[in-house]
Each structure stands twice: as structure tokens, then as C-alpha cells.
Amino acid sequence: MKKNSFCCVFLSFFLLSGCSSSMDYILLEEDAIKELPDVFNYVDELQSTNTKYKGYKIFNASGKEKIVVISSGKDDVTLRVNDASKSSLDTSLTVVKVDEKSGQKNSYIAVKISEIVGAFSVLELDQYEEAS
């Protein structure tokens, strides 16, 4: 009986771990953003009138591709993508705030992803440094 329980738990874990997969993404530089009027206008708004806004906005690119602009609401951090993943149920981007000035009034990143499947979320991780 214990063997059957162990096999069921192991099989469930194996199946669930295979459901989520990493996906490719591209960070858009300022030159690429200037070529996308909707994205450029939104980024300009983040730098002028909505400098404290923390959140994200999704834009359509070509085909199923999407562009996600994520803003921190702060000027004293830099955002970096830690992970991009999707499963049959959802799509998520995980970002890390690094204590490094970005030179922006509202630090942001623009990320191009292949598609959004199901629910979409942006997760934020804290970066910790090793104590010496």
C-alpha cells in the first residue's frame, strides 16, 4: 500500500513539474520602443505624469507576440527579468528590483514575449546580498 501511495505522489509531482516551461523573451531597448507608438507613448507617460505608478501594461505586437511594460514606481532601482514561463493555464514574468539607479524617473522594462497563455501575472522577487 505504501508503495502505491509513493508511486502516485511521485507520478503527480513528475506530471506537474513538466507542465510549466521557460519561454524566450526579448528586452526592448529605447530605439525599439521608439518604433512602437503605443508603447512609446505609455513609457513617456510613465516618465512624465505617472512617475509613481507601479504595475504593468500589455500591448499587442505581431501575431501572438505581446509586449509587456513593467514599471516600479521608483527612480532608485533597476528592473531585471529573472524568469519567463508559461504552462497550459498561465503565463508569468518574474522580475527582480536591483538597488541601482536606472536613470529613469519611473524605472521600467519592456519585454517582448511570444504569447500569453491563460492568466498573466508579474511576480516580483527581492534581491538579497550575502552577508560578509
Side-chain angles (χ1 to χ4, degrees):
M1 188 64 144
K2 288 183 181 181
K3 189 175 185 177
N4 284 341
S5 297
F6 177 75
C7 287
C8 287
V9 169
F10 180 76
L11 183 60
S12 296
F13 176 77
F14 179 75
L15 290 173
L16 290 174
S17 66
C19 292
S20 181
S21 63
S22 291
M23 76 179 162
D24 293 331
Y25 63 89
I26 298 171
L27 293 178
L28 297 180
E29 299 293 329
E30 193 173 332
D31 291 339
I33 292 171
K34 287 180 181 177
E35 295 177 12
L36 304 164
D38 292 343
V39 177
F40 179 75
N41 289 337
Y42 180 69
V43 167
D44 186 52
E45 186 179 310
L46 290 173
Q47 300 307 303
S48 58
T49 58
N50 285 336
T51 58
K52 301 297 181 197
Y53 178 74
K54 177 182 178 178
Y56 67 87
K57 186 168 182 174
I58 301 169
F59 297 89
N60 291 320
S62 60
K64 291 183 179 181
E65 291 181 325
K66 304 289 184 188
I67 296 170
V68 182
V69 178
I70 305 164
S71 60
S72 69
K74 297 182 177 186
D75 64 351
D76 59 348
V77 298
T78 296
L79 295 176
R80 295 202 175 121
V81 175
N82 184 61
D83 185 44
S85 62
K86 68 178 176 180
S87 71
S88 60
L89 300 175
D90 63 356
T91 305
S92 67
L93 287 173
T94 305
V95 297
V96 177
K97 284 193 299 189
V98 180
D99 289 332
E100 179 180 304
K101 289 216 178 242
S102 66
Q104 303 163 340
K105 292 180 181 177
N106 184 348
S107 298
Y108 73 91
I109 52 174
V111 184
K112 185 177 194 179
I113 57 177
S114 57
E115 68 179 323
I116 293 178
V117 177
F120 180 77
S121 62
V122 174
L123 308 169
E124 181 182 299
L125 297 177
D126 287 325
Q127 180 184 25
Y128 293 94
E129 293 183 16
E130 182 180 0
S132 33

